[in-house]
């Protein structure tokens, strides 16, 4: 009740109780309100998508870089001295060529991710899809390979072993500082009509520090005996016209072919580089060897004898046609 604009004692008591009830109910209201639907004054926003369409001007700024880049930084494959890695090719006539004690390694520059290999899928000039493995440009020659292996020939190989007295040990082959600069390996379905198989292109610019054959081989601890050696140092293979990458086989102009075939003799694995066409001549390569030497160990304490043959070069060479058949039957 109001009198003269002021609350009576009873009215004030009722007002104070209502105020206390409102204060007590405030926390409960805060919990309930978010759970209750409320009328929105504006429409709710659509949920965000994981992928969004781009405008034309945004798409024009995107650079295509499909594919995989990978590096073989400091790659190495070391053969065990007690159980060496061995590769054997057995010919149909029963002879065999063996590479054993294989060691393969690569050295690189300080940047482990510099100048990688590139694996991609892209169209050929004829519109087919090809798998392209582009080699590192390696302009500075930082990526260098080395290979060491013992080789032998067996005149009578059967049941996984060489007959007694039929083996000839050729020595140890060592390749040092092999660098490949640019080029790559490119494969696609066969482009020869009515012929199944894999067409390929292969090219590179090749430099080898040294290629040596040590006729006395290696000791049990893997140490090479340098007594007798044929050494070719400074081997360079480049395109004769450009001085750059030489395409041994070109997928668009002069492709190679790998397939399995069968003739009257039996089945075989076939490696071929077909004849060129008049409109697409075969590229020529230049091969240069800086130095060739023979070194023979001295006898009875005499000094070793070295015969220096100097340098050698081939100004222009081509592979117009290649046909190799690997047969497994006898």
């Amino acid at each position: 009740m109001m009198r003269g604009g002021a609350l009576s004692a009873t009215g004030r008591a009722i007002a104070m109780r209502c105020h206390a009830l409102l204060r007590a109910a405030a926390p409960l209201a805060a919990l309930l309100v978010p759970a209750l639907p409320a009328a929105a004054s504006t429409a709710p926003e659509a949920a965000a998508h994981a992928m969004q369409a781009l405008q034309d001007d945004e798409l024009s700024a995107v650079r295509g870089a499909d594919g995989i880049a990978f590096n073989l930084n400091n790659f190495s494959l070391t053969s065990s001295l007690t159980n060496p890695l061995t590769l054997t090719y057995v010919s149909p006539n029963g002879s065999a060529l063996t590479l054993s004690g294989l060691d393969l390694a690569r050295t690189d520059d300080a940047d482990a991710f510099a100048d990688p290999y590139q694996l991609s899928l892209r169209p050929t000039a004829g519109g087919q899809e090809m798998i392209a493995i582009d080699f590192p440009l390696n302009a500075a020659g930082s990526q260098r390979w080395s290979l060491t292996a013992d080789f032998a020939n067996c005149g009578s190989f059967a049941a996984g072993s060489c007959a007694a007295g039929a083996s000839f040990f050729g020595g140890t082959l060592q390749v040092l500082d092999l660098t490949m600069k640019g080029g790559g390996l490119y494969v696609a379905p066969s482009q020869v009509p009515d012929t199944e198989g894999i067409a390929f292109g292969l090219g590179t610019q090749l430099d080898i520090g040294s290629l040596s054959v040590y006729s006395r081989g290696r000791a049990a601890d893997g140490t090479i005996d340098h007594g007798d050696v044929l050494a070719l140092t400074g081997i360079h293979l480049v395109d004769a016209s450009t001085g750059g990458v030489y395409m041994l086989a070109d997928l668009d102009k002069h492709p190679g072919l790998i397939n399995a075939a069968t003739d009257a003799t039996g089945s075989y694995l076939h490696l071929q580089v077909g004849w060129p066409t008049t409109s697409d001549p075969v590229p020529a390569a230049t091969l240069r060897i800086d130095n060739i030497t023979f070194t023979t160990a001295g006898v009875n304490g005499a000094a070793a004898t070295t015969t220096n043959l100097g340098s050698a070069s081939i100004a222009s060479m081509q592979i117009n046609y290649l046909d190799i058949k690997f047969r497994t039957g006898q």
Side-chain angles (χ1 to χ4, degrees):
M1 177 182 296
M2 294 185 62
R3 292 181 179 176
L7 291 175
S8 64
T10 303
R12 285 196 299 271
I14 294 173
M16 292 178 65
R17 288 181 181 178
C18 290
H19 182 67
L21 289 174
L22 290 175
R23 289 179 60 188
L28 179 61
L31 294 175
L32 294 176
V33 168
L36 296 176
S41 58
T42 58
E45 295 183 359
H49 294 285
M51 300 181 66
Q52 297 182 4
L54 297 177
Q55 300 298 323
D56 290 343
D57 57 342
E58 295 175 311
L59 287 172
S60 64
V62 176
R63 181 180 65 86
D66 293 337
I68 300 174
F70 61 95
N71 208 331
L72 299 176
N73 188 60
N74 290 325
F75 171 90
S76 65
L77 175 65
T78 303
S79 187
S80 169
L81 293 176
T82 57
N83 187 22
L85 175 62
T86 302
L87 300 177
T88 301
Y89 169 73
V90 182
S91 68
N93 64 7
S95 63
L97 176 65
T98 301
L99 292 177
S100 62
L102 286 166
D103 292 325
L104 181 65
R106 195 182 89 165
T107 57
D108 303 273
D109 52 25
D111 187 352
F113 298 99
D115 209 1
Y117 291 84
Q118 302 282 344
L119 174 63
S120 60
L121 183 67
R122 58 178 186 259
T124 64
Q128 292 179 308
E129 293 293 326
M130 69 173 176
I131 298 175
I133 303 178
D134 294 300
F135 298 159
L137 298 178
N138 197 21
S142 300
Q143 299 181 5
R144 302 184 304 275
W145 291 89
S146 63
L147 167 70
T148 304
D150 301 328
F151 65 97
N153 174 264
C154 175
S156 178
F157 189 90
S161 62
C162 185
S167 179
F168 170 76
F169 177 69
T172 297
L173 170 69
Q174 186 174 63
V175 179
L176 298 178
D177 292 335
L178 183 153
T179 63
M180 293 181 289
K181 300 177 180 179
L185 173 64
Y186 312 97
V187 296
S190 171
Q191 301 177 20
V192 180
D194 302 322
T195 301
E196 296 182 350
I198 300 174
F200 70 91
L202 175 64
T204 189
Q205 177 182 341
L206 187 69
D207 294 288
I208 301 176
S210 66
L211 187 155
S212 305
V213 177
Y214 300 92
S215 61
R216 300 191 179 192
R218 288 185 278 185
D221 62 355
T223 304
I224 297 177
D225 187 332
H226 289 74
D228 297 319
V229 57
L230 165 64
L232 285 71
T233 58
I235 303 173
H236 312 280
L237 178 69
V238 298
D239 185 275
S241 60
T242 66
V245 172
Y246 165 61
M247 294 301 297
L248 181 147
D250 191 309
L251 195 57
D252 293 322
K253 300 178 180 179
H254 187 218
L257 176 68
I258 299 177
N259 64 353
T262 302
D263 58 14
T265 307
S267 299
Y268 58 88
L269 179 64
H270 187 210
L271 172 63
Q272 181 186 64
V273 178
W275 289 102
T277 61
T278 304
S279 59
D280 297 317
V282 177
T286 295
L287 176 64
R288 188 180 80 253
I289 303 174
D290 294 339
N291 191 251
I292 304 174
T293 59
F294 290 91
T295 300
T296 304
V299 180
N300 297 325
T305 301
T306 298
T307 302
N308 193 327
L309 302 181
S311 62
S313 64
I314 301 175
S316 179
M317 64 180 188
Q318 296 171 296
I319 297 179
N320 288 287
Y321 182 75
L322 177 70
D323 190 83
I324 301 175
K325 299 176 181 178
F326 299 95
R327 299 184 183 272
T328 58
Q330 297 296 325

